[in-house]
Amino acid sequence: MLRHLPPPVRRALTAVPALALSVAAVCTLLSGCDGTGKPRSAGHAMAAAAPERLWPGRQLPPPLGKPDDPPKPMPLRSVPRVPSGDIRQVSALAVARAAVEDTGSTVGWDATTKGIKECRVIGRTPCPVLAPHYRDLNGDGKDELLLGVEAEQRFLLLWAFTVRDGVITKVLDDWVRPLSVEVSGHDVTVREAAEKGGYDLRKVYSWDRRLQAMKERITEYVESGRGK
């Protein structure tokens, strides 16, 4: 009978069995059809659930005090001005010495202060100032200077400096006992051993536009895998 039909119709009817076999094969591979080739349900999907607040009627505590802000940006007056804004034009050692002389950052760290003043070559013992690193921390397209200074009791003084209106200015001043210090994008991340075994303390410092300085934005405990 097919030979009495027009050629386009004959081709369409001839293709039907092959198409049916293809559909059956796809259904079998995807397990989405039953034995008759009809779609088969894959089961109930997990319903999206909004957060549920527990104990909503509980009396709320008074608000906590305002978190401590980092030290205010401190301009260094004993180093040359940098009209170009390129902090690399001033040696990192000169900046470290100025940080001691102008801001008194190492008060209480007498040996460290003495070591900075007597340092001749950064990164070489007995100089406590580690090799400098330059990264854009505030997103203005120009590098800031990151310095680490070895201090007593295995502490590290963590400093960052930028150029503001031609003046080198300290924008990060903290002391830590780090397992590691990393820079990613505009963030500085410090990982310290926590008192509780198996955990580290992770701190992330980021640029704060209001303060015009690096601020500790994240402080959290993370599993270390040690001490278990």
Side-chain angles (χ1 to χ4, degrees):
M1 291 183 62
L2 291 179
R3 65 173 178 268
H4 299 295
L5 297 175
V9 177
R10 289 203 306 271
R11 286 195 296 269
L13 291 176
T14 303
V16 168
L19 179 60
L21 289 173
S22 299
V23 172
V26 171
C27 286
T28 301
L29 289 174
L30 299 181
S31 300
C33 302
D34 60 18
T36 64
K38 296 179 180 179
R40 184 176 61 194
S41 173
H44 295 289
M46 292 292 292
E52 179 183 358
R53 182 178 175 182
L54 304 182
W55 311 298
R58 181 177 174 272
Q59 185 176 359
L60 299 180
L64 296 174
K66 180 183 177 183
D68 293 336
D69 283 337
K72 292 183 179 180
M74 180 67 68
L76 306 184
R77 302 299 181 185
S78 59
V79 288
R81 289 179 56 85
V82 188
S84 69
D86 183 1
I87 200 168
R88 294 173 184 262
Q89 293 185 352
V90 179
S91 75
L93 181 54
V95 173
R97 287 174 176 164
V100 173
E101 296 171 6
D102 295 0
T103 69
S105 295
T106 55
V107 172
W109 306 91
D110 295 338
T112 304
T113 301
K114 184 174 182 291
I116 294 173
K117 291 181 176 179
E118 296 179 351
C119 177
R120 294 294 177 265
V121 181
I122 280 183
R124 184 179 300 174
T125 305
C127 180
V129 184
L130 303 180
H133 289 274
Y134 296 89
R135 288 294 183 91
D136 179 8
L137 298 177
N138 60 13
D140 67 354
K142 296 183 179 180
D143 283 340
E144 275 67 50
L145 167 63
L146 271 168
L147 280 181
V149 182
E150 296 284 7
E152 291 93 318
Q153 301 175 36
R154 306 291 298 275
F155 280 98
L156 181 78
L157 302 176
L158 183 61
W159 292 342
F161 305 86
T162 191
V163 178
R164 180 176 300 164
D165 299 326
V167 178
I168 294 180
T169 303
K170 182 187 287 185
V171 292
L172 173 60
D173 187 353
D174 205 354
W175 51 272
V176 294
R177 298 183 74 177
L179 298 168
S180 64
V181 181
E182 299 177 344
V183 181
S184 177
H186 304 315
D187 295 339
V188 178
T189 301
V190 175
R191 198 167 182 131
E192 299 179 276
E195 293 181 359
K196 185 176 180 181
Y199 286 86
D200 290 341
L201 188 63
R202 178 175 174 268
K203 300 178 180 178
V204 180
Y205 301 84
S206 302
W207 183 256
D208 187 296
R209 292 184 180 274
R210 178 181 65 86
L211 300 171
Q212 289 295 293
M214 296 292 287
K215 181 178 181 180
E216 188 177 324
R217 180 174 57 86
I218 296 174
T219 304
E220 61 182 0
Y221 286 94
V222 293
E223 287 189 289
S224 68
R226 299 186 306 274
K228 291 186 176 180

